[in-house]
């Protein structure tokens, strides 16, 4: 136990103990499946970057064995123990997975000449280590193709660890991805990328110590590697369900599933192996409809319908289903049951949430009261380890109804600091409110203790008693959480209250991701950074000429807004930038100074001072912004 950690409260200990008798812990099939086909492990499994810095260390989860301690929800402990199992596994002859090397799985499908790589992890270093383990046991096969199932970073970020841009450009390694992959991969990691990355640090527990009082994992896997995130653009887009492609003698049949776990996603069936990759649409957890790092709300109705289509297309034939996370499920009967229960899970949440919406219930009320049917409640793969029924139901409400719950009292509420000040006045001052929060803590009412103590922290951030009590409260909420992400978020909040902010350990908007932006997306990314009030009186125009594709844009800053057009414009711009498409992303990474532009090979004509005026009103995001304090 660290010097800041507190013992588990009696209320949380009782809650965790009760789960042991209410869930089917005697069912050990998942442990058999998670270890089936093990060919070898990496020992030790600490992966480093070229500078010798550790970017992934699965061995830090070695404490995950035996019975759960009091400080861990036993259901989450069970899931984390399964997720921490690492090594190279045979799914079926010809298909192999490396698990426990990053947040996601990497899968190798053997072909006639070499091997196809499906979802190459988060970072270059972990993907390279996984490929090395595969080759140690299966031989020095060349990589002959790469598949990205969807545009989240844990499914493409390690691509340069398994192949090179030169191999792809030469046509020797096709990169296969769903339609609109690049657009979504770039936009999600750039537009709100700073905020998402900062919140991801809480979500994935990136700065937490690992152990019974700290990070256990995320429920989806353990955590995110901190190495080099890369991207090579797809060379073959999949556009339609039923589309069949053969690469290196491997036949693949694709099912499109946009708007499910990602805005662009496909599932892929390998007929010769009777093996279905369900991507991230059917895993061993209830998934997120709204990831707590922030994103667009996903569509559970479409998600359910696509899984029905999956069953219709492949259910009669598939003998194994494997995913980009967790472990496979074998046998046609078990495969169809697994997919059916996953399908029913998303359908039930969607339909029942709408039923209650139409009875006047609000999102928070629905999340508090709606229960899953017993068959799903007792299915380990439907438990809320990563997504939770609670925050998913609120997401469904948000998708259909928005943030406003219809109550006029909630239409124009005070922001947190002003609410905090008024709570303190109502409660008789900061010390009195802290005492009420402490009483709630002692009673085991941690949700109310957090509410009260947080109001004091926002009204008086330096109130030591309130900060300490809020940290202690978050810690107890973490100890009781079945959801891995909830645990990480609570414990991260406690850590920052005690030790100060830890910033953003893993930044997803890497140079490779930025290089995938279209010119329009790049201009949008710059426009998002304009400090509107500072630019109210500024007026300027900049032309951007792309010399290699014969395209020209006019950027205009006026009224605090940066807009652009590709239509022919009258008159000359104040300044003109000339660049190739590949050089243009330097505007986002290197800035607008003369030296930075010259270094990137971007030519400047006209009034170069205009670029300095534009740079002066840019206001990049803060990767260290406050979360649990004002």
């Amino acid at each position: 136990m660290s010097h800041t950690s507190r013992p588990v409260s009696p209320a949380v200990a009782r809650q965790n103990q009760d789960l042991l008798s209410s869930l089917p812990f005697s069912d050990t099939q998942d442990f058999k499946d998670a270890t089936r086909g093990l060919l070898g492990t990496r020992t030790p499994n600490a992966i480093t970057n070229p500078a010798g810095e550790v970017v992934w260390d699965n061995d830090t989860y070695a404490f995950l064995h035996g019975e759960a301690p009091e400080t861990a929800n036993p259901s989450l402990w069970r899931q984390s123990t399964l997720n921490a199992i690492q090594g190279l596994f045979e799914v079926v002859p010809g298909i192999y997975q490396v698990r426990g090397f990053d947040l996601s799985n990497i899968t190798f499908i053997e072909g006639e000449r070499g091997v196809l790589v499906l979802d190459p992890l988060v970072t270059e270093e972990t993907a390279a280590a996984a490929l090395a383990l595969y080759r140690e046991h299966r031989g020095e096969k060349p990589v002959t193709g790469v598949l990205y199932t969807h545009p989240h970073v844990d499914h493409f970020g390690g691509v340069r660890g398994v192949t090179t841009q030169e191999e792809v450009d030469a046509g020797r390694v096709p990169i296969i991805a769903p339609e609109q992959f690049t657009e979504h991969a770039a936009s999600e990691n750039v537009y709100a990328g700073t905020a998402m990355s900062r919140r991801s640090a809480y979500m994935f527990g990136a700065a937490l110590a690992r152990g019974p009082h700290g990070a256990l994992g995320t429920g989806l896997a353990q955590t995110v590697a901190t190495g080099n995130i890369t991207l090579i653009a797809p060379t073959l887009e999949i556009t339609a369900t039923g589309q069949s492609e053969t690469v290196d003698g491997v036949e693949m049949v694709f099912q499109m599933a946009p708007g499910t776990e990602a805005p662009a996603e496909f599932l892929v069936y390998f007929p010769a192996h009777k093996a279905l990759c369900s991507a991230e649409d059917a895993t061993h957890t209830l998934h997120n409809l709204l990831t707590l790092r922030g994103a667009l709300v996903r569509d559970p109705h479409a998600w359910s319908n696509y899984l029905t289509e999956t069953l219709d297309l492949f259910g009669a034939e598939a003998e194994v289903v494997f995913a980009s996370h967790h472990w496979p499920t074998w046998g046609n009967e078990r495969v169809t049951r697994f997919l059916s229960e996953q399908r029913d899970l998303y359908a039930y949440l969607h339909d029942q949430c709408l039923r209650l919406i139409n009875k006047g219930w609000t999102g928070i009320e629905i999340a508090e009261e709606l229960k899953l049917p017993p068959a799903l409640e007792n299915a380990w793969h439907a438990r809320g380890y990563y997504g939770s029924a609670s925050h998913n139901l609120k997401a469904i409400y948000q998708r259909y109804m928005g943030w406003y719950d219809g109550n006029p009292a909630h239409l124009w509420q005070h922001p947190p600091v002003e609410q905090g000040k008024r709570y303190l006045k109502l409660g008789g001052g900061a010390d009195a409110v802290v005492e009420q929060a402490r009483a709630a803590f002692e009673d085991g009412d941690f949700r109310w203790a957090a509410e009260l103590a947080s109001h004091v922290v926002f009204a008086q951030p330096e109130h030591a008693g309130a900060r300490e009590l809020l940290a202690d409260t978050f810690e107890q909420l973490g100890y009781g959480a079945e959801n891995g992400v909830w645990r990480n978020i609570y414990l991260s909040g406690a850590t920052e209250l005690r030790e100060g902010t830890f910033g953003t350990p893993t930044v997803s908007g890497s140079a490779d991701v930025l290089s995938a932006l279209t010119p329009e997306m790049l201009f949008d990314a710059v426009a998002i950074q304009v400090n509107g009030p500072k630019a109210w009186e500024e007026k300027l125009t900049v032309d951007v000429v792309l010399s290699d594709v014969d395209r020209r844009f006019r950027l205009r800053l006026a009224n605090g807004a940066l807009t652009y057009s590709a239509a022919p414009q009258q008159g000359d711009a104040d300044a003109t930038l000339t660049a190739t498409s590949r050089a243009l992303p330097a505007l986002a990474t290197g800035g607008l100074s003369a030296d930075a532009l010259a270094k990137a090979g971007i030519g400047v004509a006209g009034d170069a001072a205009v670029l300095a005026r534009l740079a002066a009103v840019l206001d990049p995001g803060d990767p260290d912004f406050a979360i649990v304090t004002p």
Side-chain angles (χ1 to χ4, degrees), residues 181 200 365:
F181 169 90
S200 289
E365 292 167 337

Side-chain angles (χ1 to χ4, degrees), residues 45 55-65 75-86 99-105 122 154 200-211 214-225 324-327 385-386 483-485 487-489:
N45 195 10
V55 301
W56 175 263
D57 189 354
N58 201 69
D59 297 342
T60 58
Y61 295 102
F63 65 90
L64 285 163
H65 60 83
S75 180
L76 176 60
W77 181 269
R78 175 189 182 276
Q79 180 79 351
S80 298
T81 301
L82 288 160
N83 283 337
I85 297 169
Q86 64 96 353
R99 304 198 288 270
F101 276 48
D102 210 320
L103 183 70
S104 51
N105 300 334
V122 178
D154 51 323
S200 289
Y202 267 53
M203 178 175 172
F204 294 112
L208 295 177
R210 294 166 189 175
L216 305 181
T218 69
L220 189 67
Q222 295 311 91
T223 190
V224 180
S324 305
H325 299 274
H326 303 135
W327 49 93
Y385 299 118
Y386 188 57
N483 183 281
V485 169
R487 180 184 174 98
N488 289 339
I489 287 171

Side-chain angles (χ1 to χ4, degrees), residues 251-333:
E251 181 187 2
M252 298 167 283
V253 180
F254 295 90
Q255 179 197 358
M256 302 300 292
T260 53
E261 189 272 337
E265 189 149 1
F266 62 51
L267 288 67
V268 55
Y269 184 64
F270 299 90
H273 303 85
K274 296 187 177 181
L276 171 67
C277 173
S278 60
E280 217 161 324
D281 280 359
T283 58
H284 287 270
T285 180
L286 168 60
H287 215 295
N288 283 309
L289 297 179
L290 177 55
T291 175
L292 296 178
R293 64 179 165 80
L296 299 177
V297 178
R298 298 159 186 172
D299 186 349
H301 182 58
W303 199 322
S304 172
N305 286 344
Y306 280 120
L307 287 177
T308 295
E309 184 178 60
T310 303
L311 285 159
D312 292 341
L313 289 170
F314 312 119
E317 185 176 327
E319 290 294 336
V320 63
V321 57
F322 65 92
S324 305
H325 299 274
H326 303 135
W327 49 93
T329 298
W330 285 271
N332 183 259
E333 182 178 348

Side-chain angles (χ1 to χ4, degrees), residues 287-438:
H287 215 295
N288 283 309
L289 297 179
L290 177 55
T291 175
L292 296 178
R293 64 179 165 80
L296 299 177
V297 178
R298 298 159 186 172
D299 186 349
H301 182 58
W303 199 322
S304 172
N305 286 344
Y306 280 120
L307 287 177
T308 295
E309 184 178 60
T310 303
L311 285 159
D312 292 341
L313 289 170
F314 312 119
E317 185 176 327
E319 290 294 336
V320 63
V321 57
F322 65 92
S324 305
H325 299 274
H326 303 135
W327 49 93
T329 298
W330 285 271
N332 183 259
E333 182 178 348
R334 291 182 61 216
V335 166
T336 55
R337 179 178 177 182
F338 169 71
L339 292 173
S340 297
E341 288 178 343
Q342 284 278 302
R343 181 265 316 276
D344 295 347
L345 177 61
Y346 297 104
Y348 187 87
L349 291 175
H350 174 268
D351 296 349
Q352 294 306 305
C353 187
L354 279 174
R355 177 178 68 85
L356 294 175
I357 285 173
N358 286 318
K359 288 182 175 292
W361 290 38
T362 64
I364 195 169
E365 292 167 337
I366 296 168
E368 194 71 14
E369 297 297 328
L370 186 62
K371 307 300 181 189
L372 291 174
L376 297 179
E377 186 74 15
N378 289 293
W380 286 116
H381 66 82
R383 301 293 298 177
Y385 299 118
Y386 188 57
S388 75
S390 177
H391 72 253
N392 278 344
L393 287 163
K394 293 171 188 172
I396 297 168
Y397 185 93
Q398 177 183 324
R399 180 178 178 87
Y400 283 97
M401 304 301 290
W403 64 268
Y404 176 49
D405 66 4
N407 185 336
H410 301 152
L411 184 60
W412 190 32
Q413 292 176 286
H414 286 291
V417 170
E418 294 304 316
Q419 282 192 23
K421 292 176 181 177
R422 285 158 176 79
Y423 263 86
L424 267 56
K425 185 177 180 180
L426 177 68
D431 292 341
V433 174
V434 169
E435 285 307 309
Q436 294 178 53
R438 185 168 285 112

Side-chain angles (χ1 to χ4, degrees), residues 1-77:
M1 186 190 310
S2 73
H3 70 282
T4 56
S5 296
R6 302 291 184 265
V8 70
S9 75
V12 172
R14 285 193 301 271
Q15 172 210 296
N16 287 344
Q17 187 66 30
D18 288 345
L19 272 180
L20 289 173
S21 58
S22 64
L23 291 175
F25 281 89
S26 60
D27 177 2
T28 59
Q29 182 63 52
D30 284 338
F31 287 90
K32 297 174 185 176
D33 290 342
T35 54
R36 175 171 168 172
L38 177 64
L39 298 180
T41 60
R42 188 179 191 272
T43 307
N45 195 10
I47 299 169
T48 58
N49 63 17
E53 300 162 330
V54 175
V55 301
W56 175 263
D57 189 354
N58 201 69
D59 297 342
T60 58
Y61 295 102
F63 65 90
L64 285 163
H65 60 83
E67 292 186 1
E70 287 187 324
T71 54
N73 182 294
S75 180
L76 176 60
W77 181 269

